[in-house]
Amino acid sequence: MKGIGMSVSIGPAEQTGLSLTRPFQLLIDGGWSDAQSGDVLDVINPADRKVLAQIPAAGGQDIDRAVRAARKAFEDGPWPAMPPGERAKLLWRIADLIEARKEEFAELETLDNGKPVTMSKWVDVPASIATLRYWSGWCTKIAGETRAVDMPGDYLAMTLREPIGVVGLITPWNFPLMSAVSKLGPALAAGCTVILKPAEQTSLTALRLGEVILEAGMPPGVVNIVTGLGSVAGAALAEHDGVDKISFTGSTAIGKSLIGAARGNLKRLTLELGGKSPTIILPDADLERAIAGAGNSIFRNSGQICVAGSRLYVARKQFDQVVGGLVKFAEQFKLGPGLDPATTMGPLVSDRQHERVLDYIGGARAEGASVITGGHGFGDAGYFVEPTIIGDVNPQMRVVQEEIFGPVLVATAVDDLDELGTLANDSIYGLSASIWTRDISTAYKLARKIRAGTITINSGSIAGPNLPFGGFKQSGWGRENGVDGIESFTELKTIITAL
Ligand code: NAI
Ligand code: MG
């Protein structure tokens, strides 16, 4: 791979520059404020390690204020009582207002997270807009059912879907704006009020989204946006008894800790956690497409994708051909600052993630695996890691078992193809899998055998607000998106009337 633009400085557009000079504050009860303590966190540009901005570091008191505002807006405010068509218009308006500032949102996302601006512009921002429009349509379509009552007498029995209440939304740093709207959309469409706690590494677009939400005419307290450390602000939100549900996306370790935090008031939990997803390339696959698909799946967004295809399984007789193709695929990435339009792979999000990924690669070498391509950091300006492929692995190695969340693929040559299902399932995770073959029967048989929430056939990961998304096993609890996703923001009530 080549490095580009490392010495050329490419600045953001004027609107983004202005956005960076306006203060970033907490949005609570329709107003902007600093954290009560006055504490702030530096926001680091991962491409050059320079401080971009500062965000408030909220504490327990700020969280408490936000939860009270959301509770008031839920109990007394207009939101759950508003005609659903009015809620729909408001969500649609938010989408329009993001679209009007799409360049600023894309550039902020790139500066904050590191991802190539081509990706922010063509994936993150348009998908966020489309997601809000999708959920806007749901406001008028949430419905219960009528049921038969099998008792003597004449009855009418019905179910109602009611908003679950005050919801805490805790989001990660890999798709910051997308994660925020993917949770805000269904929560608001269902009539809930929310406290959004974005990841401390990437809170800028969430706070600018707050501006857009107010401009769209959102009543005070319906959406509160509170930035700060996960261990402080996130933990206070998760533990708060005034919160009825937490919808979380992040690490399996923190997901598990939320089970303890939910104990006090038995708040509901939706957990979208880690993965170690297999890509399986069968001998009859269209190898050219499979190689490109497998490469994109692990290297896109610098591998920081929960559904990344991080374990590759190929028949031994094709192993060298497929891995050779993937090495070429890896080498064509242009690493550089995300704002450079020629960049195709940006840095990792943070110092911590950079160190973590390089540690995994070092650990694999120490355990006797071989690094086929990549394997090092890149330049010294930012948190870059070369796209990396590791071979000579065995199923017990940490790089095969643990989520790395970086551009690192572990490749296994398979002797007995009947073992593929077992190999794919040899993981604590079950988020997704990709199968490449021209044999439809083999594809479906394997798809049924693999214990994972999403299976793609002859395609890398595909997602959309109408496609249920979530994990088996330790990849999480519950499903997001589509009807299942919105129902998880409702409580089901049964009303039985004797006629
Ligand atoms: P994390 O799980 O700590 O962070 C995710 C979110 O949880 C952030 O908003 C954070 O502020 C919040 N959080 C952290 N501690 C919390 C607590 N005690 N209570 C409530 N909220 C809390 O993830 P981290 O440390 O940033 O990344 C570590 C690893 O997690 C990554 O290497 C990757 O393997 C995995 N990860 C998975 C993601 C996914 O999409 N499933 C996204 C981000 C990370
Ligand atoms: Mg950042």
Side-chain angles (χ1 to χ4, degrees):
M1 80 243 59
K2 300 176 209 75
I4 47 150
M6 305 296 278
S7 55
V8 190
S9 122
I10 293 170
E14 192 185 342
Q15 198 183 29
T16 315
L18 289 173
S19 190
L20 282 169
T21 58
R22 284 200 305 282
F24 288 95
Q25 290 185 302
L26 308 176
L27 175 59
I28 299 177
D29 208 8
W32 298 101
S33 63
D34 294 327
Q36 193 164 319
S37 63
D39 290 350
V40 292
L41 300 172
D42 283 338
V43 178
I44 308 292
N45 179 346
D48 60 14
R49 308 181 195 224
K50 290 188 183 138
V51 177
L52 270 175
Q54 289 183 321
I55 53 169
Q61 286 163 317
D62 303 296
I63 292 292
D64 190 54
R65 203 155 67 79
V67 173
R68 282 169 199 282
R71 177 58 61 192
K72 187 156 73 65
F74 184 74
E75 307 287 351
D76 316 329
W79 192 250
M82 193 184 277
E86 293 300 311
R87 290 208 303 267
K89 273 195 236 166
L90 224 147
L91 286 182
W92 195 276
R93 213 176 294 143
I94 295 169
D96 284 347
L97 290 169
I98 297 174
E99 196 161 46
R101 288 167 62 172
K102 61 182 187 224
E103 188 165 45
E104 173 195 348
F105 274 100
E107 291 189 345
L108 280 182
E109 201 76 310
T110 284
L111 286 166
D112 204 2
N113 164 281
K115 67 179 67 197
V117 73
T118 44
M119 183 168 186
S120 312
K121 274 192 181 151
W122 301 111
V123 181
D124 295 68
V125 173
S128 299
I129 294 166
T131 295
L132 282 167
R133 289 185 178 144
Y134 171 83
W135 289 115
S136 161
W138 262 103
C139 297
T140 49
K141 291 160 196 77
I142 297 166
E145 296 174 341
T146 56
R147 296 283 176 100
V149 176
D150 187 21
M151 301 268 264
D154 195 5
Y155 297 92
L156 181 63
M158 68 179 86
T159 61
L160 299 182
R161 287 263 168 209
E162 297 184 347
I164 211 165
V166 172
V167 183
L169 310 174
I170 302 178
T171 54
W173 40 257
N174 51 343
F175 288 89
L177 183 64
M178 256 307 278
S179 309
V181 301
S182 297
K183 293 187 190 298
L184 276 168
L188 294 173
C192 298
T193 60
V194 309
I195 302 98
L196 168 65
K197 209 304 280 175
E200 53 269 43
Q201 298 86 349
T202 57
S203 295
L204 300 185
T205 49
L207 292 173
R208 290 300 172 245
L209 175 64
E211 294 179 345
V212 160
I213 287 172
L214 287 189
E215 194 187 338
M218 187 64 80
V222 177
V223 178
N224 305 276
I225 304 176
V226 183
T227 57
L229 292 174
S231 55
V232 180
L237 181 60
E239 272 157 28
H240 204 294
D241 279 353
V243 173
D244 299 303
K245 173 188 166 97
I246 294 284
S247 174
F248 172 83
T249 300
S251 62
T252 291
I254 298 297
K256 287 182 180 177
S257 82
L258 297 184
I259 299 170
R263 236 182 123 86
N265 67 341
L266 274 184
K267 59 175 67 69
R268 280 61 171 139
L269 289 178
T270 297
L271 304 174
E272 203 276 277
L273 309 176
K276 188 77 184 176
S277 299
T279 295
I280 297 170
I281 302 182
L282 286 152
D284 70 336
D286 175 341
L287 287 190
E288 207 178 310
R289 273 177 69 196
I291 288 165
N296 263 317
S297 176
I298 184 62
F299 297 133
R300 215 164 33 113
N301 214 36
S302 303
Q304 302 166 122
I305 300 193
C306 52
V307 293
S310 50
R311 292 185 286 147
L312 175 72
Y313 296 100
V314 192
R316 185 170 300 281
K317 63 172 186 193
Q318 284 172 321
F319 187 79
D320 289 345
Q321 186 188 352
V322 169
V323 170
L326 277 161
V327 167
K328 275 205 200 114
F329 189 89
E331 285 172 349
Q332 44 96 38
F333 278 97
K334 295 187 166 54
L335 275 69
L339 272 197
D340 186 332
T343 291
T344 54
M345 185 181 282
L348 299 186
V349 73
S350 64
D351 197 7
R352 187 160 153 242
Q353 204 58 20
H354 186 241
E355 202 173 299
R356 198 184 135 92
V357 172
L358 290 175
D359 273 356
Y360 270 113
I361 298 170
R365 283 198 180 96
E367 282 186 278
S370 58
V371 174
I372 300 170
T373 186
H376 305 100
F378 180 80
D380 29 286
Y383 307 129
F384 295 91
V385 173
E386 296 173 335
T388 298
I389 301 175
I390 297 179
D392 295 320
V393 292
N394 67 54
Q396 286 75 46
M397 287 180 180
R398 284 184 62 210
V399 278
V400 180
Q401 288 298 331
E402 296 179 20
E403 181 175 58
I404 299 175
F405 230 62
V408 182
L409 179 67
V410 294
T412 299
V414 179
D415 292 308
D416 179 0
L417 296 181
D418 291 338
E419 288 294 299
L420 278 170
T422 309
L423 286 169
N425 285 333
D426 182 17
S427 173
I428 61 164
Y429 297 112
L431 195 55
S432 73
S434 295
I435 301 164
W436 297 83
T437 175
R438 288 187 171 101
D439 182 331
I440 196 97
S441 173
T442 307
Y444 285 135
K445 277 188 190 157
L446 252 181
R448 285 206 301 210
K449 188 157 188 195
I450 296 174
R451 294 179 50 75
T454 301
I455 314 272
T456 57
I457 297 169
N458 294 330
S459 168
S461 62
I462 294 281
N466 61 337
L467 297 171
F469 184 72
F472 282 42
K473 300 193 271 183
Q474 296 188 38
S475 288
W477 278 356
R479 293 293 178 271
E480 298 194 88
N481 299 345
V483 62
D484 313 84
I486 193 160
E487 286 185 351
S488 81
F489 287 100
T490 65
E491 288 283 6
L492 192 57
K493 183 180 282 175
T494 309
I495 299 183
I496 304 136
T497 309
L499 301 176

